[in-house]
Amino acid sequence: GAIIFMFVIYARYFFVGTAVVLENAGANAAVKRSVELSAGHRWHIIKATLLFYILMMVVWFTAWSLVAVATSNLVVSGVVGQATIIFVFPLIPVVTALLYYDLRIRKEGYDLELMAQSLGGTLPQPPVNEGVRGT
């Protein structure tokens, strides 16, 4: 039960840093935005990030083991393994940004918004109910 809870919390707050960087949101606004954007898509976020981390470990282990077998030197294979991580680790923000834009397109029609802006128009905004609180 604790592991499932951990994954749900991870997916719920997955986009906090992305909202701060890409939307210039403050801390509280970024947390609200992450919860809003991930609602209903938490399993999608969990599956995508787990797949990425598994692939990252496969690349690392493959590079490490190939060099270990070829050289029979654990120090050299360790250095090559760490060098592989140096090149693969920066892909984590790329995957996060791709998931962020994927969910924006799925939930908010972000691609249509960009297309309307490029044509010089705007999309009509839905009315805001100030008295209704979301959960």
Side-chain angles (χ1 to χ4, degrees):
I3 293 173
I4 293 171
F5 178 73
M6 178 186 68
F7 279 124
V8 169
I9 295 299
Y10 170 79
R12 186 176 186 171
Y13 298 111
F14 186 74
F15 296 115
V16 172
T18 309
V20 169
V21 173
L22 296 178
E23 296 182 9
N24 293 326
N28 290 334
V31 170
K32 286 181 186 177
R33 180 71 173 136
S34 178
V35 170
E36 170 188 304
L37 197 56
S38 66
H41 294 281
R42 292 189 180 111
W43 183 240
H44 176 71
I45 295 168
I46 291 167
K47 288 189 303 186
T49 54
L50 280 177
L51 177 64
F52 173 74
Y53 282 113
I54 289 169
L55 289 174
M56 188 171 78
M57 289 293 110
V58 166
V59 168
W60 170 78
F61 183 73
T62 302
W64 177 83
S65 60
L66 287 176
V67 172
V69 167
T71 64
S72 298
N73 189 339
L74 291 179
V75 174
V76 172
S77 62
V79 169
V80 169
Q82 293 305 314
T84 305
I85 292 295
I86 289 171
F87 290 107
V88 175
F89 196 74
L91 295 176
I92 293 172
V94 172
V95 170
T96 303
L98 288 173
L99 276 171
Y100 168 79
Y101 283 119
D102 176 48
L103 289 183
R104 288 232 19 216
I105 289 170
R106 288 176 191 240
K107 291 184 89 166
E108 301 171 350
Y110 184 65
D111 55 340
L112 298 175
E113 181 181 328
L114 289 177
M115 185 174 63
Q117 287 176 356
S118 71
L119 295 174
T122 59
L123 291 175
Q125 298 297 320
V128 177
N129 291 333
E130 294 287 335
V132 178
R133 290 181 52 184
T135 55

Coordinates of all heavy atoms in Angstrom, one line a residue, residues 84-116:
T84 N 28.3 7.0 -19.3 CA 27.0 6.7 -19.9 C 25.9 7.4 -19.2 O 25.1 8.1 -19.8 CB 26.7 5.2 -19.9 OG1 27.8 4.5 -20.6 CG2 25.5 4.9 -20.6
I85 N 25.9 7.4 -17.8 CA 24.9 8.1 -17.1 C 25.0 9.6 -17.3 O 24.0 10.3 -17.3 CB 25.1 7.7 -15.6 CG1 24.7 6.3 -15.3 CG2 24.3 8.6 -14.7 CD1 23.3 5.9 -15.6
I86 N 26.2 10.1 -17.4 CA 26.4 11.5 -17.7 C 25.7 12.0 -18.9 O 25.1 13.0 -19.0 CB 27.9 11.9 -17.7 CG1 28.5 11.8 -16.4 CG2 28.1 13.3 -18.3 CD1 30.0 12.0 -16.3
F87 N 25.6 11.1 -20.0 CA 25.0 11.4 -21.2 C 23.5 11.1 -21.2 O 22.7 11.7 -21.9 CB 25.7 10.7 -22.4 CG 27.0 11.3 -22.7 CD1 28.2 10.5 -22.4 CD2 27.2 12.5 -23.2 CE1 29.4 11.0 -22.6 CE2 28.4 13.0 -23.5 CZ 29.6 12.3 -23.2
V88 N 23.1 10.2 -20.4 CA 21.7 9.8 -20.4 C 20.9 10.6 -19.3 O 19.7 10.9 -19.6 CB 21.5 8.2 -20.1 CG1 20.1 7.8 -19.9 CG2 22.2 7.5 -21.2
F89 N 21.5 10.9 -18.2 CA 20.8 11.6 -17.2 C 20.1 13.0 -17.6 O 19.0 13.3 -17.1 CB 21.8 11.9 -16.0 CG 21.1 12.3 -14.7 CD1 20.4 11.3 -14.0 CD2 21.1 13.5 -14.2 CE1 19.8 11.6 -12.8 CE2 20.5 13.9 -13.1 CZ 19.8 12.9 -12.3
P90 N 20.7 13.8 -18.5 CA 20.0 15.0 -18.9 C 18.7 14.8 -19.7 O 18.0 15.7 -20.0 CB 21.1 15.7 -19.8 CG 22.4 15.2 -19.3 CD 22.1 13.8 -18.9
L91 N 18.5 13.5 -20.1 CA 17.2 13.2 -20.8 C 16.0 13.3 -19.8 O 14.9 13.3 -20.3 CB 17.3 11.9 -21.5 CG 18.3 11.8 -22.6 CD1 18.4 10.4 -23.2 CD2 18.0 12.8 -23.7
I92 N 16.2 13.2 -18.5 CA 15.1 13.3 -17.6 C 14.3 14.5 -17.7 O 13.0 14.4 -17.8 CB 15.6 13.1 -16.1 CG1 16.2 11.7 -16.0 CG2 14.5 13.3 -15.1 CD1 16.9 11.4 -14.6
P93 N 14.9 15.7 -17.8 CA 14.0 16.9 -18.0 C 13.3 16.9 -19.4 O 12.2 17.4 -19.6 CB 15.0 18.1 -17.9 CG 16.2 17.6 -17.3 CD 16.2 16.1 -17.5
V94 N 14.0 16.3 -20.4 CA 13.3 16.2 -21.7 C 12.1 15.3 -21.6 O 11.0 15.7 -22.2 CB 14.3 15.6 -22.7 CG1 13.7 15.3 -24.0 CG2 15.5 16.5 -22.9
V95 N 12.2 14.2 -20.9 CA 11.0 13.3 -20.8 C 9.9 14.1 -20.0 O 8.7 14.0 -20.3 CB 11.4 12.0 -20.1 CG1 10.2 11.2 -19.7 CG2 12.3 11.2 -21.0
T96 N 10.3 14.8 -18.9 CA 9.3 15.6 -18.2 C 8.6 16.6 -19.0 O 7.4 16.8 -19.0 CB 10.0 16.2 -17.0 OG1 10.7 15.2 -16.2 CG2 9.1 17.0 -16.1
A97 N 9.4 17.3 -19.8 CA 8.8 18.3 -20.7 C 7.9 17.7 -21.7 O 6.8 18.2 -22.0 CB 9.9 19.2 -21.4
L98 N 8.3 16.6 -22.3 CA 7.4 15.9 -23.2 C 6.1 15.4 -22.6 O 5.0 15.6 -23.2 CB 8.1 14.7 -23.9 CG 9.2 15.0 -24.8 CD1 10.0 13.7 -25.2 CD2 8.7 15.7 -26.1
L99 N 6.2 14.9 -21.4 CA 4.9 14.5 -20.7 C 4.1 15.7 -20.4 O 2.8 15.7 -20.5 CB 5.3 13.8 -19.4 CG 5.6 12.3 -19.5 CD1 6.1 11.8 -18.2 CD2 4.3 11.5 -19.9
Y100 N 4.7 16.8 -20.0 CA 4.0 18.1 -19.7 C 3.2 18.5 -20.9 O 2.0 18.8 -20.9 CB 5.0 19.1 -19.2 CG 4.4 20.5 -19.1 CD1 3.6 20.9 -18.1 CD2 4.7 21.4 -20.1 CE1 3.1 22.2 -18.0 CE2 4.2 22.7 -20.1 CZ 3.4 23.1 -19.0 OH 2.9 24.3 -18.9
Y101 N 3.9 18.6 -22.1 CA 3.2 19.1 -23.3 C 2.2 18.1 -23.8 O 1.2 18.5 -24.3 CB 4.2 19.5 -24.4 CG 4.9 20.8 -24.1 CD1 6.3 20.9 -23.9 CD2 4.2 21.9 -24.0 CE1 6.9 22.1 -23.7 CE2 4.8 23.2 -23.8 CZ 6.1 23.2 -23.6 OH 6.7 24.4 -23.3
D102 N 2.5 16.8 -23.6 CA 1.5 15.8 -24.0 C 0.2 16.0 -23.2 O -0.9 16.0 -23.8 CB 2.1 14.4 -23.7 CG 1.1 13.3 -24.0 OD1 0.5 13.3 -25.1 OD2 1.0 12.4 -23.1
L103 N 0.3 16.2 -21.9 CA -0.9 16.4 -21.1 C -1.6 17.7 -21.4 O -2.8 17.8 -21.3 CB -0.6 16.2 -19.6 CG -0.3 14.8 -19.2 CD1 -0.1 14.7 -17.7 CD2 -1.4 13.8 -19.6
R104 N -0.8 18.7 -21.7 CA -1.4 20.0 -22.0 C -2.2 19.9 -23.3 O -3.3 20.5 -23.5 CB -0.4 21.1 -22.2 CG 0.2 21.6 -20.9 CD 0.3 23.0 -20.6 NE -0.5 24.0 -21.2 CZ -0.1 25.2 -21.4 NH1 1.1 25.6 -21.1 NH2 -0.9 26.1 -21.9
I105 N -1.7 19.2 -24.3 CA -2.4 19.0 -25.5 C -3.6 18.1 -25.3 O -4.7 18.4 -25.8 CB -1.5 18.3 -26.6 CG1 -0.4 19.4 -27.0 CG2 -2.3 17.8 -27.8 CD1 0.7 18.8 -27.9
R106 N -3.5 17.1 -24.5 CA -4.7 16.2 -24.3 C -5.8 16.9 -23.5 O -6.9 16.7 -23.8 CB -4.2 14.9 -23.5 CG -3.4 14.0 -24.3 CD -3.0 12.8 -23.4 NE -2.0 12.0 -24.0 CZ -2.1 10.7 -24.2 NH1 -3.2 10.1 -23.8 NH2 -1.2 10.0 -24.8
K107 N -5.4 17.6 -22.5 CA -6.4 18.2 -21.6 C -6.9 19.6 -22.0 O -8.0 19.9 -21.7 CB -5.8 18.2 -20.1 CG -5.7 16.9 -19.5 CD -5.2 17.0 -18.1 CE -6.5 17.1 -17.2 NZ -6.2 16.9 -15.8
E108 N -6.0 20.4 -22.5 CA -6.3 21.8 -22.7 C -6.3 22.2 -24.2 O -6.6 23.4 -24.5 CB -5.3 22.7 -22.0 CG -5.3 22.4 -20.5 CD -4.2 23.1 -19.8 OE1 -3.3 23.7 -20.5 OE2 -4.2 23.1 -18.5
G109 N -6.0 21.3 -25.1 CA -5.9 21.7 -26.5 C -4.9 22.8 -26.8 O -5.0 23.7 -27.5
Y110 N -3.7 22.5 -26.2 CA -2.6 23.5 -26.3 C -2.2 23.7 -27.7 O -1.8 24.8 -28.1 CB -1.4 23.1 -25.4 CG -0.3 24.1 -25.3 CD1 -0.5 25.3 -24.8 CD2 1.0 23.7 -25.8 CE1 0.6 26.2 -24.7 CE2 2.0 24.6 -25.8 CZ 1.8 25.9 -25.2 OH 2.8 26.7 -25.2
D111 N -2.2 22.7 -28.5 CA -1.8 22.8 -29.9 C -2.8 23.7 -30.7 O -2.4 24.5 -31.5 CB -1.7 21.4 -30.6 CG -3.0 20.6 -30.4 OD1 -3.8 20.9 -29.5 OD2 -3.1 19.7 -31.2
L112 N -4.1 23.6 -30.3 CA -5.0 24.5 -31.0 C -4.8 25.9 -30.5 O -5.0 26.9 -31.3 CB -6.4 24.0 -30.6 CG -6.8 22.6 -31.1 CD1 -8.2 22.2 -30.6 CD2 -6.7 22.5 -32.6
E113 N -4.5 26.1 -29.3 CA -4.2 27.5 -28.8 C -3.0 28.1 -29.5 O -3.1 29.3 -29.9 CB -3.9 27.4 -27.3 CG -3.7 28.7 -26.6 CD -3.4 28.6 -25.1 OE1 -3.9 27.7 -24.5 OE2 -2.6 29.4 -24.6
L114 N -2.0 27.4 -29.7 CA -0.8 27.9 -30.4 C -1.2 28.2 -31.9 O -0.7 29.2 -32.5 CB 0.3 26.9 -30.4 CG 1.0 26.7 -29.0 CD1 2.1 25.7 -29.1 CD2 1.6 28.1 -28.6
M115 N -2.0 27.3 -32.5 CA -2.4 27.5 -33.9 C -3.2 28.8 -34.0 O -3.0 29.6 -34.9 CB -3.1 26.3 -34.4 CG -3.5 26.4 -35.9 SD -4.2 24.9 -36.6 CE -5.7 24.8 -35.6
A116 N -4.1 29.0 -33.1 CA -5.0 30.2 -33.1 C -4.1 31.4 -32.9 O -4.4 32.5 -33.6 CB -6.1 30.1 -32.0

